Amino acid sequence: MNVNSKKYNKVLSYPAPIQLKDMSLHEQAIVTHYLHNKNTPEAAPFIDAVQKILCKYKIETPVDTDTLQENPLQTSLFIEHNVPFPTPPSPRFTFIDLFAGIGGFRIAMQNLGGRCVFSSEWDKDAQKTYKANFGDVPFGDITTEEVKQFIPDNFDILCAGFPCQAFSIAGKRGGFEDTRGTLFFDVAEIIRRKQPKAILLENVKGLVNHDKGKTLATILNVLRNDLGYFVPDPKVLNAKDFGVPQNRERVFIVGFHPDLNISEFDYPKPLGIKVSFKDVKETPPVPTKYYLSTQYLSTLKKHKERHARKGNGFGYEIISDDGIANAVVCGGMGRERNLVYDPDITDFTPQTNIKGEVNREGIRKMTPREWARLQGFPDAFRIPVSDSAAYKQFGNSVAIPVVQAVGKEILKVLKYA
């Protein structure tokens, strides 16, 4: 929606060059969010803060303008078209991206024609990856009022992949107040204040039975009874049913504002597309650093044998080219349960400080790019962080095709499709 820029964009000109890297992450979040929301009502929460930031850096000549074509803030600090995933040119709806991670929700919703008007993610490495791909820096800790004040009004959909936490509800009714001190409380508080048309929440499958079902029951009670939203029963969906070769089950919770009088919602059905790891496997040669050392491989084999003798199925696993990957996760055996055969290695010279030699069996870890593909990230997605940080980020992300499939059904109900 275009509006009068004199009302919503008090642009400041300045004589001295300044770069985003010269600002704090919080200041970068303010400036980049302002620029992403320029010429829209969603720019309103950022205007005064942007002026204070520019004055802080001794950029103190305010001017009003009807055009941003020569806005020095735009051209010197932030070139939107240089990012691989810019805002759609003619967005059909708006959304916010809470616990944003590296932007899995954002890609899915932008693919559906949405414009992100606010994002929040506290992890600094994830903020770096998010900025590299979308151009704006997510705000930090969403539990603080300092961050909440920048959430615009009147956005359409709230998206959040919030962490799972237990609530202290013993002897209580399990309502809004009982969630205080948890991250879900902050999600619920934002819903209460902003009243979005729809909500889209994602969590681990374990939420269903967490704390003997009390956690999910409390969440549903808050959304349905305290906030009044129509919330159908949550649904566990598997990424492998939506076009990516990963066995990843996650629970989705959808809700609609009471004023919309919506009483029906159908979660998406599996696509019926046959997928396997070879669909995402990198073209050889893969760098030697991803191949296991002989000593580490021996350790993994002994570890698996010990558990096998006890009747346990723990241990490493090698995914065949025709197989489906296990869920990519950042902790535990996340990488070791997703090893692959890749015999096309020609250089056995160790590239890292490993113990032993590079194994001759062709066994390697999946690469960060393969993990990205398993989560549905396009190859244009930039990975500006170390491998260890990248594994963590993709392991914590949502599977984009699943989010997009659920989002598509939400838009149908909202009549935006």
Side-chain angles (χ1 to χ4, degrees):
M1 179 189 304
N2 289 323
V3 294
N4 190 316
S5 61
K6 287 185 177 180
K7 180 178 180 181
Y8 292 104
N9 292 280
K10 300 177 182 178
V11 181
L12 306 185
S13 64
Y14 53 91
I18 182 171
Q19 300 298 320
L20 276 178
K21 61 182 176 60
D22 300 322
M23 300 180 180
S24 70
L25 285 174
H26 185 67
E27 291 170 334
Q28 291 181 40
I30 294 170
V31 170
T32 54
H33 274 71
Y34 165 79
L35 290 167
H36 255 132
N37 289 299
K38 62 185 184 292
N39 294 330
T40 73
E42 287 79 26
F46 310 105
I47 293 172
D48 290 343
V50 166
Q51 288 186 320
K52 290 178 181 177
I53 290 170
L54 297 187
C55 288
K56 171 184 173 180
Y57 291 97
K58 311 212 181 292
I59 302 163
E60 305 177 89
T61 309
V63 295
D64 283 339
T65 180
D66 288 320
T67 176
L68 293 181
Q69 292 300 314
E70 297 184 6
N71 177 2
L73 185 62
Q74 172 82 10
T75 56
S76 293
L77 291 184
F78 178 77
I79 308 300
E80 184 171 324
H81 65 263
N82 280 347
V83 297
F85 302 99
T87 298
S90 300
R92 294 182 293 144
F93 65 95
T94 56
F95 66 97
I96 68 170
D97 192 7
L98 305 181
F99 308 100
I102 56 176
F105 268 106
R106 181 156 179 168
I107 290 180
M109 301 306 276
Q110 286 190 174
N111 286 345
L112 294 169
R115 177 167 65 86
C116 184
V117 298
F118 177 87
S119 61
S120 174
E121 167 57 49
W122 69 272
D123 184 88
K124 289 181 172 55
D125 279 335
Q127 288 178 319
K128 181 178 180 179
T129 300
Y130 199 99
K131 174 178 176 286
N133 286 282
F134 305 104
D136 53 338
V137 176
F139 282 88
D141 187 356
I142 194 61
T143 67
T144 66
E145 194 60 37
E146 180 184 22
V147 170
K148 286 191 178 101
Q149 68 174 316
F150 289 105
I151 302 176
D153 296 327
N154 301 317
F155 60 87
D156 295 311
I157 302 174
L158 177 146
C159 299
F162 67 98
C164 179
Q165 296 170 284
F167 304 134
S168 299
I169 58 175
K172 301 179 182 179
R173 66 183 180 89
F176 192 88
E177 296 303 317
D178 299 323
T179 67
R180 285 188 178 275
T182 71
L183 294 171
F184 174 74
F185 171 81
D186 295 285
V187 175
E189 174 65 14
I190 292 167
I191 295 171
R192 184 187 67 79
R193 292 186 192 182
K194 300 299 182 178
Q195 300 288 303
K197 293 182 179 69
I199 57 176
L200 172 53
L201 310 180
E202 182 262 10
N203 214 301
V204 295
K205 180 185 177 183
L207 176 65
V208 175
N209 297 314
H210 193 258
D211 195 17
K212 299 179 181 179
K214 294 178 182 178
T215 301
L216 180 57
T218 300
I219 288 171
L220 295 178
N221 187 50
V222 169
L223 296 175
R224 290 168 174 169
N225 299 322
D226 292 1
L227 298 175
Y229 276 65
F230 165 66
V231 180
D233 289 340
K235 182 79 169 179
V236 174
L237 299 173
N238 197 322
K240 71 179 183 180
D241 294 326
F242 293 89
V244 290
Q246 180 193 178
N247 185 27
R248 186 185 193 85
E249 293 182 297
R250 292 294 184 268
V251 64
F252 286 83
I253 303 172
V254 165
F256 297 93
H257 194 279
D259 289 350
L260 298 177
N261 295 315
I262 291 169
S263 58
E264 292 184 5
F265 176 79
D266 293 322
Y267 282 92
K269 301 292 191 296
L271 299 180
I273 300 174
K274 183 176 176 57
V275 290
S276 59
F277 177 68
K278 63 186 176 185
D279 297 320
V280 302
K281 192 174 186 179
E282 289 220 54
T283 302
V286 172
T288 305
K289 67 178 180 176
Y290 295 110
Y291 285 80
L292 274 58
S293 71
T294 53
Q295 184 165 327
Y296 184 46
L297 185 56
S298 175
T299 300
L300 290 179
K301 289 179 178 179
K302 291 176 182 177
H303 174 265
K304 187 167 186 173
E305 290 169 358
R306 284 197 304 272
H307 281 287
R309 287 194 295 269
K310 297 177 182 178
N312 298 327
F314 302 142
Y316 77 95
E317 187 172 342
I318 298 175
I319 308 301
S320 70
D321 283 1
D322 293 326
I324 299 291
N326 292 304
V328 294
V329 293
C330 57
M333 295 284 288
R335 297 182 215 176
E336 289 79 2
R337 286 184 57 77
N338 278 307
L339 301 177
V340 295
Y341 280 117
D342 198 346
D344 296 319
I345 178 174
T346 56
D347 183 3
F348 290 90
T349 305
Q351 296 179 357
T352 55
N353 294 322
I354 63 173
K355 292 183 179 180
E357 301 175 341
V358 175
N359 82 89
R360 292 321 199 251
E361 299 177 52
I363 298 175
R364 66 168 175 84
K365 299 178 292 186
M366 291 184 189
T367 67
R369 181 59 66 188
E370 287 167 341
W371 273 35
R373 293 171 180 172
L374 287 173
Q375 293 282 49
F377 284 85
D379 282 356
F381 191 84
R382 296 172 180 168
I383 307 176
V385 294
S386 67
D387 280 357
S388 60
Y391 284 121
K392 176 183 176 182
Q393 291 175 3
F394 290 118
N396 282 332
S397 179
V398 294
I400 293 172
V402 189
V403 173
Q404 189 166 324
V406 179
K408 185 176 181 180
E409 298 304 315
I410 291 174
L411 294 178
K412 287 180 182 178
V413 173
L414 294 177
K415 299 187 180 344
Y416 288 169

